[in-house]
Amino acid sequence: MPTPMLTDYHVHLRPDEPGTEFGKFMTTANVDRFRAAAEEAGIAELGVSEHIHRFADALRIWDHPFWKENAVDDLGEYCAFVRGESDLRLGIEMDFVPGREDRIANVLEEHEWDYVIGSVHFLGHGALDWEEYDVWREGRSAEQIWKEYFATLAVAASSGLYDVMAHPDLVKHWGRDRPWPEGDLRRFYEPAVEAFVEAGVAVEISTAGLRKPVGEMYPSPAFIDMCVDAGLDFSLSSDAHVPIHVGHGFEVATALMNDLGIDRLCVFEGRKRRLEPVG
Ligand SMILES: [Zn+2]
Ligand SMILES: [Zn+2]
């Protein structure tokens, strides 16, 4: 049997909380902690993908108040640290902001990424997974919000800016604490899956949802199943922000992958991807 090839590409070296300055977490000692956790979990391919909103360059793209509060670090310094002082793959979690495609492209092309992760965390100014700007406060129905989320995800994939689409049903983040749509959810997934196929992007299987109020992986098994039928490729990630979460819940993910016949995972280098057997 070949050696299992596990990846964890959607990893943040520092937590989201205030007081987690760049200099405290972009250190070789911190990288060593993440690397040790990865080894423990049998993960050979480890990459980091800090949030774009942590960097001053984010404000060239968007001026959301949450970004203005957080965008203080130097993107070039981050890239230089990862390339120069670690053996990690270099990624970025780049939000999709509709209408700002050119600005996003301008920021991306200034650095040499191994991969770019595309995320939809906001609908307009409303946040999907951050209480302070909660999109659900606007009083819209589950049907409306879910439809808009997946439509935005489809536009994001079609933009050609991204290698892999992150946590592809993040709209469910709060679980039943927020309005939940009626019936078969596949009607929402369809336009996104179609756009993924057209754009040739990979789909992230993220165990982060297991630690969130919804208590299940992103995306749902039904979504993954549709992606399998459509011939899409997958990457596997934990969205860890602390070492203990590296590879978190991977036994749940690999069991599901096994059930759905997913036996290869994406490996990224210099924005090119290849597939490696899971083992
Ligand atoms: Zn995210
Ligand atoms: Zn993330």
Side-chain angles (χ1 to χ4, degrees):
M1 217 167 94
T3 322
M5 171 71 201
L6 291 178
T7 65
D8 200 343
Y9 281 129
H10 188 154
V11 168
H12 303 266
L13 286 176
R14 57 204 189 108
D16 285 334
E17 289 72 29
T20 53
E21 288 83 14
F22 186 88
K24 285 191 202 162
F25 292 88
M26 295 294 153
T27 65
T28 49
N30 198 35
V31 170
D32 288 348
R33 285 191 282 273
F34 277 82
R35 184 51 91 186
E39 247 161 58
E40 183 88 358
I43 293 159
E45 272 282 304
L46 187 64
V48 278
S49 56
E50 296 301 324
H51 287 290
I52 188 63
H53 72 249
R54 290 290 205 156
F55 301 100
D57 280 338
L59 302 181
R60 291 161 55 195
I61 299 168
W62 202 26
D63 63 353
H64 191 286
F66 178 70
W67 285 28
K68 280 161 104 176
E69 267 169 55
N70 284 280
V72 293
D73 296 330
D74 188 292
L75 194 56
E77 235 178 278
Y78 160 61
C79 297
F81 170 76
V82 175
R83 288 287 188 220
E85 297 185 51
S86 85
D87 61 350
L88 304 174
R89 296 275 181 224
L90 176 61
I92 183 86
E93 180 170 14
M94 174 61 87
D95 281 69
F96 179 67
V97 185
R100 304 293 167 95
E101 290 85 344
D102 289 353
R103 300 180 191 203
I104 296 170
N106 286 343
V107 172
L108 286 176
E109 72 195 14
E110 290 167 8
H111 305 281
E112 291 188 2
W113 311 104
D114 285 316
Y115 53 90
V116 175
I117 298 181
S119 295
V120 175
H121 295 114
F122 294 90
L123 298 181
H125 274 66
L128 291 156
D129 62 344
W130 197 256
E131 205 141 31
E132 201 180 345
Y133 300 97
D134 194 352
V135 71
W136 295 101
R137 274 188 210 163
E138 296 161 15
R140 300 169 65 205
S141 70
E143 193 72 25
Q144 286 172 324
I145 300 236
W146 278 55
K147 207 171 160 201
E148 186 182 333
Y149 170 76
F150 288 102
T152 308
L153 191 64
V155 179
S158 307
S159 70
L161 292 163
Y162 304 112
D163 300 304
V164 49
M165 303 313 294
H167 38 59
D169 60 353
L170 184 75
V171 67
K172 73 182 178 188
H173 171 92
W174 298 106
R176 302 302 206 265
D177 293 346
R178 298 290 186 280
W180 191 269
E182 304 273 324
D184 189 336
L185 300 175
R186 285 177 294 186
R187 69 185 184 282
F188 296 105
Y189 307 154
E190 252 160 40
V193 174
E194 262 171 43
F196 289 3
V197 172
E198 193 94 341
V201 293
V203 185
E204 180 181 83
I205 297 177
S206 169
T207 56
L210 295 168
R211 311 188 297 271
K212 301 296 158 78
V214 67
E216 56 178 70
M217 288 198 314
Y218 301 123
S220 68
F223 192 118
I224 299 175
D225 200 26
M226 286 168 71
C227 293
V228 171
D229 284 348
L232 287 162
D233 296 336
F234 298 90
S235 77
L236 175 63
S237 291
S238 67
D239 209 345
H241 290 62
V242 287
I244 199 174
H245 287 156
V246 172
H248 174 264
F250 274 21
E251 67 290 348
V252 181
T254 50
L256 179 67
M257 284 161 52
N258 201 31
D259 284 351
L260 297 178
I262 301 167
D263 56 6
R264 295 187 305 167
L265 283 172
C266 293
V267 172
F268 296 96
E269 197 176 348
R271 300 208 65 181
K272 289 193 174 64
R273 79 169 190 249
R274 62 177 202 275
L275 289 167
E276 291 280 346
V278 182

Short mmCIF file of all heavy atoms in Angstrom, two decimals, residues 14 22 50-64 66-78 92 94 103 107 110-111:
data_model
loop_
_atom_site.label_atom_id
_atom_site.label_comp_id
_atom_site.label_asym_id
_atom_site.label_seq_id
_atom_site.Cartn_x
_atom_site.Cartn_y
_atom_site.Cartn_z
N ARG A 14 -1.54 32.23 12.79
CA ARG A 14 -1.98 32.94 13.99
C ARG A 14 -3.49 32.96 14.11
O ARG A 14 -4.22 32.94 13.14
CB ARG A 14 -1.45 34.35 14.00
CG ARG A 14 -1.84 35.15 12.78
CD ARG A 14 -0.83 36.19 12.67
NE ARG A 14 -1.01 37.21 11.73
CZ ARG A 14 -1.31 38.47 11.98
NH1 ARG A 14 -1.65 38.88 13.05
NH2 ARG A 14 -1.33 39.37 11.10
N PHE A 22 1.58 39.92 14.23
CA PHE A 22 2.41 39.25 13.25
C PHE A 22 3.69 38.68 13.87
O PHE A 22 3.99 37.50 13.74
CB PHE A 22 2.74 40.27 12.15
CG PHE A 22 3.48 39.73 10.97
CD1 PHE A 22 2.78 39.20 9.88
CD2 PHE A 22 4.87 39.78 10.91
CE1 PHE A 22 3.47 38.71 8.78
CE2 PHE A 22 5.55 39.29 9.80
CZ PHE A 22 4.85 38.76 8.73
N GLU A 50 -2.69 32.75 5.20
CA GLU A 50 -3.20 33.78 6.10
C GLU A 50 -4.33 34.56 5.42
O GLU A 50 -4.39 34.65 4.19
CB GLU A 50 -2.08 34.74 6.51
CG GLU A 50 -0.97 34.09 7.32
CD GLU A 50 -1.44 33.44 8.62
OE1 GLU A 50 -2.35 33.97 9.27
OE2 GLU A 50 -0.89 32.37 8.97
N HIS A 51 -5.19 35.14 6.23
CA HIS A 51 -6.31 35.94 5.71
C HIS A 51 -5.80 37.23 5.06
O HIS A 51 -5.01 37.95 5.67
CB HIS A 51 -7.22 36.38 6.85
CG HIS A 51 -8.06 35.29 7.43
ND1 HIS A 51 -9.11 34.71 6.75
CD2 HIS A 51 -8.03 34.69 8.66
CE1 HIS A 51 -9.68 33.81 7.53
NE2 HIS A 51 -9.05 33.77 8.68
N ILE A 52 -6.30 37.55 3.89
CA ILE A 52 -5.89 38.80 3.24
C ILE A 52 -6.21 40.01 4.11
O ILE A 52 -5.46 41.00 4.12
CB ILE A 52 -6.52 38.95 1.82
CG1 ILE A 52 -5.92 40.14 1.08
CG2 ILE A 52 -8.03 39.04 1.86
CD1 ILE A 52 -4.44 40.08 0.80
N HIS A 53 -7.29 39.93 4.91
CA HIS A 53 -7.70 41.12 5.67
C HIS A 53 -6.71 41.48 6.80
O HIS A 53 -6.85 42.51 7.44
CB HIS A 53 -9.12 40.97 6.22
CG HIS A 53 -9.26 39.99 7.34
ND1 HIS A 53 -9.94 38.80 7.20
CD2 HIS A 53 -8.84 40.02 8.63
CE1 HIS A 53 -9.90 38.14 8.36
NE2 HIS A 53 -9.25 38.86 9.24
N ARG A 54 -5.69 40.64 7.01
CA ARG A 54 -4.65 40.96 7.99
C ARG A 54 -3.61 41.93 7.44
O ARG A 54 -2.77 42.43 8.17
CB ARG A 54 -3.92 39.68 8.40
CG ARG A 54 -4.75 38.73 9.22
CD ARG A 54 -4.99 39.33 10.59
NE ARG A 54 -5.25 38.29 11.57
CZ ARG A 54 -5.03 38.44 12.86
NH1 ARG A 54 -4.55 39.56 13.33
NH2 ARG A 54 -5.31 37.47 13.69
N PHE A 55 -3.64 42.12 6.12
CA PHE A 55 -2.55 42.86 5.46
C PHE A 55 -3.02 44.20 4.92
O PHE A 55 -4.14 44.31 4.39
CB PHE A 55 -1.97 42.00 4.32
CG PHE A 55 -1.44 40.69 4.81
CD1 PHE A 55 -2.18 39.52 4.68
CD2 PHE A 55 -0.21 40.62 5.45
CE1 PHE A 55 -1.71 38.30 5.16
CE2 PHE A 55 0.28 39.40 5.94
CZ PHE A 55 -0.47 38.25 5.79
N ALA A 56 -2.14 45.18 5.02
CA ALA A 56 -2.47 46.53 4.56
C ALA A 56 -2.96 46.54 3.11
O ALA A 56 -3.85 47.31 2.74
CB ALA A 56 -1.25 47.44 4.71
N ASP A 57 -2.40 45.65 2.28
CA ASP A 57 -2.80 45.60 0.87
C ASP A 57 -4.28 45.27 0.68
O ASP A 57 -4.85 45.54 -0.38
CB ASP A 57 -1.95 44.58 0.11
CG ASP A 57 -0.58 45.15 -0.27
OD1 ASP A 57 -0.46 46.39 -0.32
OD2 ASP A 57 0.35 44.36 -0.49
N ALA A 58 -4.91 44.69 1.71
CA ALA A 58 -6.34 44.36 1.61
C ALA A 58 -7.16 45.62 1.34
O ALA A 58 -8.20 45.57 0.66
CB ALA A 58 -6.82 43.69 2.89
N LEU A 59 -6.69 46.75 1.86
CA LEU A 59 -7.46 48.00 1.72
C LEU A 59 -7.38 48.57 0.31
O LEU A 59 -8.15 49.47 -0.04
CB LEU A 59 -7.00 49.02 2.77
CG LEU A 59 -7.14 48.53 4.22
CD1 LEU A 59 -6.70 49.60 5.20
CD2 LEU A 59 -8.57 48.06 4.52
N ARG A 60 -6.50 48.01 -0.50
CA ARG A 60 -6.52 48.35 -1.93
C ARG A 60 -7.71 47.67 -2.62
O ARG A 60 -8.10 48.04 -3.72
CB ARG A 60 -5.23 47.89 -2.61
CG ARG A 60 -4.00 48.68 -2.17
CD ARG A 60 -2.70 47.95 -2.49
NE ARG A 60 -2.58 47.57 -3.90
CZ ARG A 60 -1.68 46.68 -4.35
NH1 ARG A 60 -0.83 46.10 -3.52
NH2 ARG A 60 -1.65 46.39 -5.63
N ILE A 61 -8.26 46.65 -1.95
CA ILE A 61 -9.37 45.88 -2.54
C ILE A 61 -10.71 46.35 -1.99
O ILE A 61 -11.67 46.53 -2.74
CB ILE A 61 -9.18 44.37 -2.24
CG1 ILE A 61 -7.87 43.87 -2.88
CG2 ILE A 61 -10.37 43.56 -2.74
CD1 ILE A 61 -7.45 42.47 -2.41
N TRP A 62 -10.77 46.56 -0.66
CA TRP A 62 -12.07 46.78 -0.03
C TRP A 62 -11.87 47.57 1.26
O TRP A 62 -10.81 47.46 1.89
CB TRP A 62 -12.71 45.41 0.29
CG TRP A 62 -14.19 45.39 0.45
CD1 TRP A 62 -15.09 46.25 -0.10
CD2 TRP A 62 -14.94 44.45 1.23
NE1 TRP A 62 -16.37 45.89 0.27
CE2 TRP A 62 -16.30 44.78 1.08
CE3 TRP A 62 -14.61 43.34 2.02
CZ2 TRP A 62 -17.32 44.07 1.70
CZ3 TRP A 62 -15.62 42.63 2.63
CH2 TRP A 62 -16.98 42.97 2.47
N ASP A 63 -12.92 48.31 1.64
CA ASP A 63 -12.79 49.13 2.86
C ASP A 63 -13.82 48.74 3.92
O ASP A 63 -14.30 49.58 4.67
CB ASP A 63 -12.92 50.61 2.50
CG ASP A 63 -14.29 50.93 1.92
OD1 ASP A 63 -15.07 49.97 1.67
OD2 ASP A 63 -14.60 52.11 1.70
N HIS A 64 -14.17 47.47 3.97
CA HIS A 64 -15.08 47.01 5.02
C HIS A 64 -14.50 47.39 6.39
O HIS A 64 -13.29 47.26 6.61
CB HIS A 64 -15.24 45.49 4.93
CG HIS A 64 -16.34 44.95 5.79
ND1 HIS A 64 -16.23 44.86 7.17
CD2 HIS A 64 -17.58 44.51 5.49
CE1 HIS A 64 -17.36 44.37 7.66
NE2 HIS A 64 -18.20 44.14 6.67
N PHE A 66 -14.41 45.93 9.18
CA PHE A 66 -13.67 44.81 9.79
C PHE A 66 -12.26 44.72 9.20
O PHE A 66 -11.28 44.47 9.91
CB PHE A 66 -14.43 43.50 9.59
CG PHE A 66 -13.72 42.29 10.13
CD1 PHE A 66 -13.59 42.10 11.51
CD2 PHE A 66 -13.18 41.33 9.27
CE1 PHE A 66 -12.92 40.98 12.01
CE2 PHE A 66 -12.52 40.22 9.78
CZ PHE A 66 -12.39 40.04 11.15
N TRP A 67 -12.16 44.94 7.92
CA TRP A 67 -10.84 44.93 7.27
C TRP A 67 -10.00 46.11 7.74
O TRP A 67 -8.82 45.97 8.01
CB TRP A 67 -10.99 44.93 5.73
CG TRP A 67 -11.44 43.62 5.17
CD1 TRP A 67 -12.19 42.67 5.79
CD2 TRP A 67 -11.14 43.10 3.87
NE1 TRP A 67 -12.39 41.61 4.95
CE2 TRP A 67 -11.77 41.85 3.77
CE3 TRP A 67 -10.42 43.59 2.77
CZ2 TRP A 67 -11.68 41.07 2.62
CZ3 TRP A 67 -10.34 42.82 1.62
CH2 TRP A 67 -10.96 41.56 1.54
N LYS A 68 -10.66 47.27 7.83
CA LYS A 68 -9.91 48.47 8.25
C LYS A 68 -9.31 48.29 9.64
O LYS A 68 -8.21 48.76 9.92
CB LYS A 68 -10.81 49.71 8.21
CG LYS A 68 -10.95 50.25 6.78
CD LYS A 68 -12.13 51.15 6.65
CE LYS A 68 -11.86 52.61 6.60
NZ LYS A 68 -13.13 53.36 6.37
N GLU A 69 -10.04 47.59 10.50
CA GLU A 69 -9.54 47.31 11.85
C GLU A 69 -8.32 46.39 11.82
O GLU A 69 -7.47 46.46 12.70
CB GLU A 69 -10.60 46.52 12.63
CG GLU A 69 -11.57 47.30 13.47
CD GLU A 69 -12.67 46.36 13.93
OE1 GLU A 69 -12.38 45.30 14.54
OE2 GLU A 69 -13.85 46.66 13.63
N ASN A 70 -8.29 45.47 10.87
CA ASN A 70 -7.31 44.37 10.90
C ASN A 70 -6.15 44.49 9.94
O ASN A 70 -5.14 43.80 10.10
CB ASN A 70 -8.03 43.04 10.61
CG ASN A 70 -8.81 42.55 11.81
OD1 ASN A 70 -8.26 41.98 12.73
ND2 ASN A 70 -10.12 42.83 11.82
N ALA A 71 -6.29 45.32 8.90
CA ALA A 71 -5.31 45.33 7.81
C ALA A 71 -4.08 46.16 8.16
O ALA A 71 -4.00 47.32 7.79
CB ALA A 71 -5.96 45.87 6.54
N VAL A 72 -3.16 45.55 8.89
CA VAL A 72 -1.98 46.31 9.33
C VAL A 72 -0.65 45.71 8.86
O VAL A 72 0.35 46.41 8.81
CB VAL A 72 -1.95 46.46 10.87
CG1 VAL A 72 -3.10 47.34 11.34
CG2 VAL A 72 -2.00 45.11 11.57
N ASP A 73 -0.64 44.43 8.53
CA ASP A 73 0.64 43.77 8.26
C ASP A 73 1.09 43.91 6.81
O ASP A 73 0.31 44.29 5.94
CB ASP A 73 0.56 42.30 8.64
CG ASP A 73 0.33 42.13 10.13
OD1 ASP A 73 0.77 43.01 10.88
OD2 ASP A 73 -0.35 41.17 10.50
N ASP A 74 2.35 43.54 6.60
CA ASP A 74 2.96 43.68 5.30
C ASP A 74 2.96 42.32 4.57
O ASP A 74 3.56 41.36 5.05
CB ASP A 74 4.40 44.18 5.48
CG ASP A 74 5.05 44.52 4.16
OD1 ASP A 74 5.30 43.59 3.35
OD2 ASP A 74 5.28 45.72 3.92
N LEU A 75 2.28 42.28 3.46
CA LEU A 75 2.12 41.02 2.72
C LEU A 75 3.47 40.49 2.25
O LEU A 75 3.71 39.28 2.29
CB LEU A 75 1.17 41.27 1.53
CG LEU A 75 0.60 40.06 0.81
CD1 LEU A 75 -0.13 39.11 1.74
CD2 LEU A 75 -0.36 40.52 -0.31
N GLY A 76 4.33 41.39 1.81
CA GLY A 76 5.66 40.99 1.34
C GLY A 76 6.48 40.34 2.45
O GLY A 76 7.21 39.37 2.22
N GLU A 77 6.31 40.86 3.67
CA GLU A 77 7.04 40.31 4.82
C GLU A 77 6.57 38.88 5.12
O GLU A 77 7.36 38.00 5.45
CB GLU A 77 6.76 41.18 6.04
CG GLU A 77 7.97 41.73 6.74
CD GLU A 77 7.56 42.61 7.91
OE1 GLU A 77 7.24 43.80 7.65
OE2 GLU A 77 7.51 42.11 9.04
N TYR A 78 5.27 38.69 5.02
CA TYR A 78 4.70 37.34 5.22
C TYR A 78 5.27 36.36 4.19
O TYR A 78 5.74 35.27 4.55
CB TYR A 78 3.17 37.43 5.12
CG TYR A 78 2.43 36.14 4.83
CD1 TYR A 78 2.51 35.04 5.70
CD2 TYR A 78 1.63 36.01 3.69
CE1 TYR A 78 1.82 33.87 5.43
CE2 TYR A 78 0.94 34.84 3.42
CZ TYR A 78 1.04 33.77 4.29
OH TYR A 78 0.35 32.61 4.03
N ILE A 92 -2.49 31.94 0.27
CA ILE A 92 -3.19 33.10 0.84
C ILE A 92 -4.68 32.78 0.79
O ILE A 92 -5.14 32.16 -0.16
CB ILE A 92 -2.87 34.39 0.05
CG1 ILE A 92 -3.51 35.64 0.66
CG2 ILE A 92 -3.26 34.27 -1.43
CD1 ILE A 92 -2.72 36.29 1.73
N MET A 94 -7.77 34.46 0.09
CA MET A 94 -8.15 35.72 -0.54
C MET A 94 -9.66 35.78 -0.71
O MET A 94 -10.24 35.04 -1.48
CB MET A 94 -7.45 35.82 -1.91
CG MET A 94 -7.87 37.03 -2.74
SD MET A 94 -7.52 38.63 -1.97
CE MET A 94 -5.82 38.91 -2.52
N ARG A 103 -8.74 44.51 -8.79
CA ARG A 103 -7.94 44.89 -7.63
C ARG A 103 -7.35 43.66 -6.96
O ARG A 103 -6.19 43.66 -6.52
CB ARG A 103 -8.80 45.65 -6.62
CG ARG A 103 -9.40 46.93 -7.19
CD ARG A 103 -10.21 47.60 -6.12
NE ARG A 103 -11.03 48.69 -6.63
CZ ARG A 103 -11.47 49.69 -5.88
NH1 ARG A 103 -11.17 49.73 -4.59
NH2 ARG A 103 -12.22 50.63 -6.39
N VAL A 107 -3.23 42.62 -6.51
CA VAL A 107 -2.55 42.25 -5.27
C VAL A 107 -1.91 40.86 -5.42
O VAL A 107 -0.76 40.64 -5.03
CB VAL A 107 -3.51 42.30 -4.07
CG1 VAL A 107 -2.87 41.72 -2.82
CG2 VAL A 107 -3.98 43.74 -3.82
N GLU A 110 1.55 40.26 -7.36
CA GLU A 110 2.79 40.81 -6.82
C GLU A 110 3.62 39.78 -6.04
O GLU A 110 4.72 40.08 -5.58
CB GLU A 110 2.47 42.02 -5.92
CG GLU A 110 1.97 43.20 -6.75
CD GLU A 110 1.34 44.31 -5.92
OE1 GLU A 110 1.42 44.26 -4.68
OE2 GLU A 110 0.76 45.22 -6.53
N HIS A 111 3.07 38.57 -5.86
CA HIS A 111 3.79 37.55 -5.08
C HIS A 111 3.69 36.19 -5.76
O HIS A 111 2.77 35.96 -6.54
CB HIS A 111 3.22 37.49 -3.66
CG HIS A 111 3.24 38.82 -2.98
ND1 HIS A 111 4.38 39.35 -2.42
CD2 HIS A 111 2.27 39.77 -2.83
CE1 HIS A 111 4.11 40.55 -1.93
NE2 HIS A 111 2.84 40.83 -2.18
#
